[in-house]
């Protein structure tokens, strides 16, 4: 009888121990599942607020940019101010800096301001258009080597840019210029050449 009782007691202790361990394993998970409700809601609300703010600033920037585009011919100074406002609202938009730089260059003749805007545009959006605009400004300053470097940077971004190839051919010394002219001639035989006439070069 005592042996049976001892065996039963050992079995009961073992079962209670296993039950306790199981509860210890499950309890933290359920607690962890119950606790994050508030932090998750807070995080979701923060992300939603940030997205709403970003959308609002981009929208306001777009309004100023549209205003600048309308004023570009009739009131270049006003357009430059509108682009400045667009950039203030949406400072990571490379197009606003690029267009403002082009306005300073082509309409207002303010080369220093044009260079600063073009460099910002290249930093934000290193594409062929922005490199070309920067190179054009540098060329007006007489800084040919820097202009060549800018055009070459644009050509790395867009190897089939006819505008950049033509500028590089004109600025380069004869051996390099010939290479650029040959590339232009080769492109004339491809679909690129059918889109735009190359008689200019």
């Amino acid at each position: 009888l005592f042996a049976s009782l001892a065996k039963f007691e050992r079995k009961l202790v073992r079962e209670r121990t296993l039950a306790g361990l199981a509860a210890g394993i499950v309890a933290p998970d359920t607690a962890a599942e119950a606790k994050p409700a508030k932090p998750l809601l807070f995080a979701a609300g923060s992300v939603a607020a940030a997205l709403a703010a970003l959308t609002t600033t981009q929208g306001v920037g777009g309004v100023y940019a549209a205003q600048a585009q309308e004023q570009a011919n009739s009131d270049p100074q006003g357009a430059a101010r509108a682009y400045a406002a667009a950039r203030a609202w949406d400072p990571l938009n490379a197009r606003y800096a690029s267009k403002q730089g082009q306005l300073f260059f082509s309409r207002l003749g303010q080369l220093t301001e044009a260079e600063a805007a073009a460099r910002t545009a290249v930093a934000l959006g290193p594409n062929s258009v922005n490199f070309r605009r920067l190179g054009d400004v540098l060329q007006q300053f007489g800084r040919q080597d820097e202009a060549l470097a800018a055009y070459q940077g644009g050509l790395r971004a867009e190897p089939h840019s006819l505008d950049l190839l033509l500028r590089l051919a004109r600025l380069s010394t004869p051996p390099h210029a010939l290479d650029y002219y040959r590339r232009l001639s080769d492109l004339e035989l491809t679909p690129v050449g059918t889109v735009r006439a190359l008689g200019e070069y």
Side-chain angles (χ1 to χ4, degrees):
L1 180 63
F2 286 114
S4 297
L5 283 173
K7 187 176 178 182
F8 176 75
E9 189 176 345
R10 282 196 302 274
K11 184 179 177 185
L12 189 61
V13 168
R14 188 169 61 242
E15 287 177 356
R16 284 181 180 172
T17 302
L18 289 173
L21 285 172
I25 291 170
V26 171
D29 288 341
T30 54
E33 288 172 6
K35 283 183 181 177
K38 285 185 180 178
L40 278 177
L41 285 174
F42 178 76
S46 299
V47 169
L51 285 173
L54 180 63
T55 304
T56 300
T57 56
Q58 288 178 338
V60 175
V63 170
Y64 278 112
Q67 178 185 336
Q69 204 164 359
E70 289 176 7
Q71 293 178 322
N73 293 324
S74 59
D75 181 12
Q77 286 287 0
R81 287 191 295 271
Y83 275 129
R87 289 178 61 187
W89 280 96
D90 191 1
L92 299 181
N93 192 320
R95 285 176 300 142
Y96 299 159
S98 182
K99 289 182 177 180
Q100 186 186 35
Q102 181 63 17
L103 184 73
F104 280 132
F105 175 71
S106 61
R107 296 282 177 187
L108 298 170
Q110 298 174 358
L111 296 181
T112 303
E113 291 82 354
E115 181 186 357
R119 288 192 181 281
T120 300
V122 165
L124 293 172
N127 57 46
S128 62
V129 172
N130 294 339
F131 273 113
R132 188 191 74 222
R133 288 176 174 171
L134 175 59
D136 290 348
V137 175
L138 293 169
Q139 216 178 330
Q140 289 296 311
F141 275 116
R143 290 147 62 183
Q144 306 298 339
D145 290 342
E146 291 180 66
L148 274 170
Y151 294 144
Q152 287 163 351
L155 200 62
R156 282 192 293 274
E158 189 183 332
H160 296 150
S161 170
L162 305 177
D163 287 335
L164 290 169
L165 283 169
L166 183 57
R167 282 166 169 78
L168 284 164
R170 286 175 170 166
L171 277 182
S172 300
T173 53
H176 298 297
L178 186 58
D179 290 338
Y180 289 124
Y181 281 124
R182 280 183 176 145
R183 286 172 68 178
L184 281 163
S185 297
D186 292 342
L187 284 171
E188 189 176 14
L189 304 176
T190 69
V192 175
T194 64
V195 174
R196 175 174 173 177
L198 299 179
E200 183 182 3
Y201 76 88

